Amino acid sequence: MKGTYNVDNKGYYGEFGGAYIPEMMYSNIEELRSKYINICSEESFKKEFDELLKDYVGRPTPLYFAKRLSEKYNTKIYLKREDLCHTGAHKINNTIGQILLAKRLGKTRIIAETGAGQHGVATATVCALMGIECIIYMGEIDISRQAPNVARMKMLGAEVRPATSGSKTLKDATNEAIRDWINNPIDTHYIIGSVVGPHPYPDMVARFQSVIGNEVMNQLEILEGTKDPNYVIACVGGGSNAAGLFYPYLDNQKVKIICVEAAGKGIRSGKSAATSILGKEGIIHGSKTLLMQSKDGQITEPYSISAGLDYPGVGPMHANLYRSNRGEFHSIDDSEAMQWGLNLSRLEGIIPAIETSHAFAILDKKEFKKSDVLVFNCSGRGDKDLDTYIDYFKLK
Ligand SMILES: *Cc1c(COP(=O)(O)O)cnc(C)c1O
């Protein structure tokens, strides 16, 4: 479909997206696809969603003018403070939306996959809130790397099931979750944590996260007298915090879109997660998108110092933003991102998640005008990354 960067009625963003699923999963996906828009448009759904976002998550999150950062880079920089959300990142916006949807579909059991554990924690949180059984699949290696988040999930009453196949990380946990769903199609809903997976997930998650961009429009109008910044900027793992910020601006060409991916140890190092730049068309977890793969089509293991960015694919919305040049893509390596964790801490008193730090590093890569208004999505807080920061900068 020409003229829009949003999803079309078949679940595609340009040539990307769709639902490439095994026969056995068809009924689960079809139930969701045929019902999600109607359920999300019900007045009672919108009321419950909005109330929980307000009183439980703490929305609207502030749009903060970063004065010292703006002075240093001689441009106008605003931070959308998703780091102030309950549980410390934007992921909770999506899990609240999906748990309300699951309840209306009559589901009594929730499953989810998690890599670093952030989505697992956000899912365990909403299951506790609703008193619903919660099973989180997590790679065996990630379980040992991410002990504090495993403890949080258990504290919240979730069962954490190790994925012991393959590389024992996120992609394997996702495969286990899909297998579970196929075996439990009636009572179970699968909460995917980013704008990835088969249609309707990318669109559904983007809609739940669009509260970020919609709030920015209202806040910027009061602060700057216009709803439109010159740039919206976000880090991209699967792409959900970025999709949430970009959503109301997708088809507004006056607002430029910048996506920042993780280059890991460098784009050409073989240890990277710069999926759009390195990726080729392929199918991962039910979606046609750009993904890192070997010549014979095997998925390559991604790497980034930030566990939230090392997914081998990217959501189909972002693949299309890349292919169509609607979005400008940059990749930032581990050391640049780590330095920006320190910069933002010392310039603004905000310790960002390492994922988030990647986005700020573009200030050293690109010139902006004094009159430009930049909105960065401050996707999450750095508490979970303190040990990594401390080791890296030898602050102990
Ligand atoms: C999970 C996570 C990300 C990456 O996921 P997206 O779906 O690309 O947003 C980015 N920042 C933080 C703080 C995260 O927890």
Side-chain angles (χ1 to χ4, degrees):
M1 206 159 88
K2 268 231 144 53
T4 181
Y5 295 90
N6 215 323
V7 72
D8 69 18
N9 55 17
K10 294 203 174 70
Y12 281 84
Y13 299 82
E15 61 187 296
F16 300 106
Y20 298 82
I21 50 172
E23 177 89 37
M24 311 254 289
M25 233 172 114
Y26 182 80
S27 63
N28 311 43
I29 292 294
E30 182 52 24
E31 180 185 32
L32 258 191
R33 193 201 59 79
S34 63
K35 294 185 176 157
Y36 81 108
I37 292 195
N38 284 345
I39 291 178
C40 296
S41 318
E42 283 168 11
E43 279 312 312
S44 66
F45 181 96
K46 288 197 279 191
K47 185 162 178 286
E48 201 177 349
F49 186 48
D50 290 348
E51 279 173 7
L52 284 172
L53 288 183
K54 176 170 169 284
D55 297 327
Y56 188 71
V57 175
R59 307 204 70 93
T61 59
L63 184 65
Y64 164 69
F65 176 63
K67 187 158 170 282
R68 295 188 66 211
L69 194 59
S70 298
E71 272 165 14
K72 183 157 185 202
Y73 285 86
N74 203 23
T75 188
K76 272 189 173 173
I77 300 171
Y78 286 91
L79 313 187
K80 182 59 173 161
R81 299 291 309 276
E82 294 302 293
D83 58 313
L84 296 178
C85 289
H86 179 44
T87 71
H90 65 287
K91 287 194 173 72
I92 189 92
N93 304 323
N94 168 48
T95 57
I96 297 258
Q98 287 203 48
I99 198 84
L100 294 179
L101 183 72
K103 276 203 329 189
R104 281 160 174 81
L105 291 169
K107 307 292 177 179
T108 55
R109 182 174 173 270
I110 294 294
I111 57 170
E113 85 295 337
T114 197
Q118 293 302 105
H119 174 56
V121 170
T123 302
T125 299
V126 297
C127 288
L129 176 69
M130 296 297 169
I132 293 182
E133 182 186 356
C134 179
I135 292 145
I136 306 291
Y137 288 94
M138 190 167 184
E140 206 169 39
I141 290 188
D142 290 335
I143 288 180
S144 60
R145 286 197 290 209
Q146 309 289 341
N149 275 342
V150 175
R152 281 187 191 102
M153 288 182 255
K154 290 186 174 165
M155 184 76 190
L156 291 160
E159 182 194 337
V160 180
R161 284 195 192 161
T164 55
S165 64
S167 56
K168 307 183 172 81
T169 57
L170 176 62
K171 136 179 100 53
D172 313 288
T174 306
N175 292 337
E176 291 294 330
I178 289 172
R179 202 163 308 155
D180 181 313
W181 207 23
I182 287 171
N183 290 325
N184 299 284
I186 306 294
D187 64 343
T188 299
H189 175 67
Y190 177 14
I191 301 191
I192 293 184
S194 190
V195 285
V196 300
H199 179 65
Y201 277 100
D203 180 50
M204 183 167 76
V205 177
R207 283 168 187 255
F208 291 143
Q209 292 292 2
S210 68
V211 63
I212 300 172
N214 290 332
E215 285 177 6
V216 167
M217 288 189 115
N218 294 331
Q219 291 167 322
L220 207 59
E221 181 157 50
I222 292 165
L223 292 161
E224 289 286 333
T226 169
K227 290 180 191 296
D228 299 345
N230 298 88
Y231 293 90
V232 283
I233 303 162
C235 66
V236 173
S240 69
N241 86 86
L245 174 63
F246 303 165
Y247 198 86
Y249 299 115
L250 282 173
D251 294 334
N252 178 353
Q253 301 272 357
K254 281 185 295 190
V255 181
K256 298 193 189 76
I257 288 174
I258 298 183
C259 295
V260 185
E261 292 183 320
K265 293 189 188 297
I267 293 197
R268 305 285 160 221
S269 68
K271 295 199 90 187
S272 166
T275 318
S276 306
I277 290 155
L278 293 175
K280 298 205 171 42
E281 267 165 47
I283 289 166
I284 181 169
H285 301 134
S287 178
K288 185 175 168 197
T289 188
L290 293 170
L291 64 129
M292 304 199 310
Q293 50 190 300
S294 63
K295 279 203 183 68
D296 51 2
Q298 292 289 2
I299 293 168
T300 23
E301 269 307 307
Y303 164 82
S304 161
I305 196 165
S306 71
L309 298 184
D310 65 355
Y311 184 66
V314 66
M317 175 199 283
H318 303 278
N320 186 47
L321 292 175
Y322 179 76
R323 188 54 67 77
S324 64
N325 290 320
R326 171 70 182 97
E328 184 181 324
F329 282 67
H330 289 263
S331 43
I332 296 299
D333 69 25
D334 288 354
S335 60
E336 295 166 320
M338 293 302 281
Q339 185 56 48
W340 266 94
L342 201 61
N343 294 355
L344 198 70
S345 301
R346 307 260 162 114
L347 273 170
E348 294 292 344
I350 295 170
I351 303 173
I354 302 175
E355 291 84 354
T356 314
S357 302
H358 284 75
F360 290 101
I362 75 129
L363 287 168
D364 293 324
K365 301 269 161 178
K366 192 177 159 69
E367 289 279 323
F368 296 97
K369 287 189 279 191
K370 189 171 171 52
S371 59
D372 280 342
V373 173
L374 282 57
V375 175
F376 282 87
N377 203 358
C378 197
S379 59
R381 67 177 90 124
D383 305 26
K384 69 182 177 60
D385 298 317
L386 269 185
D387 285 343
T388 312
Y389 281 132
I390 284 170
D391 285 350
Y392 190 88
F393 292 111
K394 307 206 171 20
L395 296 174
K396 247 185 203 148

Short mmCIF file of all heavy atoms in Angstrom, two decimals, residues 40 42 66 95 258 260 319 344:
data_model
loop_
_atom_site.label_atom_id
_atom_site.label_comp_id
_atom_site.label_asym_id
_atom_site.label_seq_id
_atom_site.Cartn_x
_atom_site.Cartn_y
_atom_site.Cartn_z
N CYS A 40 -10.05 -3.82 21.51
CA CYS A 40 -9.30 -2.62 21.92
C CYS A 40 -10.09 -1.33 21.68
O CYS A 40 -9.74 -0.29 22.23
CB CYS A 40 -7.96 -2.54 21.19
SG CYS A 40 -6.87 -3.91 21.61
N GLU A 42 -13.37 -1.11 22.31
CA GLU A 42 -14.50 -1.02 23.26
C GLU A 42 -14.23 0.06 24.30
O GLU A 42 -13.12 0.17 24.81
CB GLU A 42 -14.67 -2.36 24.01
CG GLU A 42 -15.33 -3.45 23.20
CD GLU A 42 -15.20 -4.82 23.88
OE1 GLU A 42 -14.78 -4.88 25.06
OE2 GLU A 42 -15.50 -5.82 23.20
N ALA A 66 16.02 18.68 28.45
CA ALA A 66 17.36 18.43 29.00
C ALA A 66 18.25 19.63 28.72
O ALA A 66 18.86 19.77 27.66
CB ALA A 66 17.93 17.16 28.36
N THR A 95 2.34 -4.92 28.18
CA THR A 95 1.84 -6.08 28.94
C THR A 95 0.49 -5.75 29.60
O THR A 95 -0.35 -6.63 29.72
CB THR A 95 2.85 -6.58 29.99
OG1 THR A 95 3.21 -5.53 30.88
CG2 THR A 95 4.12 -7.11 29.33
N ILE A 258 14.70 8.64 13.47
CA ILE A 258 16.04 8.05 13.60
C ILE A 258 15.99 6.81 14.48
O ILE A 258 15.50 6.84 15.61
CB ILE A 258 17.05 9.06 14.19
CG1 ILE A 258 17.19 10.27 13.25
CG2 ILE A 258 18.42 8.40 14.39
CD1 ILE A 258 18.21 11.30 13.70
N VAL A 260 18.24 3.72 16.21
CA VAL A 260 19.61 3.42 16.61
C VAL A 260 19.71 1.95 17.03
O VAL A 260 19.04 1.51 17.95
CB VAL A 260 20.06 4.34 17.76
CG1 VAL A 260 21.53 4.08 18.08
CG2 VAL A 260 19.84 5.81 17.40
N ALA A 319 11.79 -2.72 9.48
CA ALA A 319 12.39 -3.21 8.24
C ALA A 319 11.92 -2.33 7.08
O ALA A 319 12.70 -1.96 6.20
CB ALA A 319 12.02 -4.67 8.01
N LEU A 344 25.06 10.81 30.22
CA LEU A 344 23.71 11.22 30.63
C LEU A 344 23.61 11.27 32.16
O LEU A 344 22.96 12.16 32.72
CB LEU A 344 22.65 10.27 30.06
CG LEU A 344 21.24 10.87 30.06
CD1 LEU A 344 21.10 11.99 29.04
CD2 LEU A 344 20.18 9.81 29.81
#
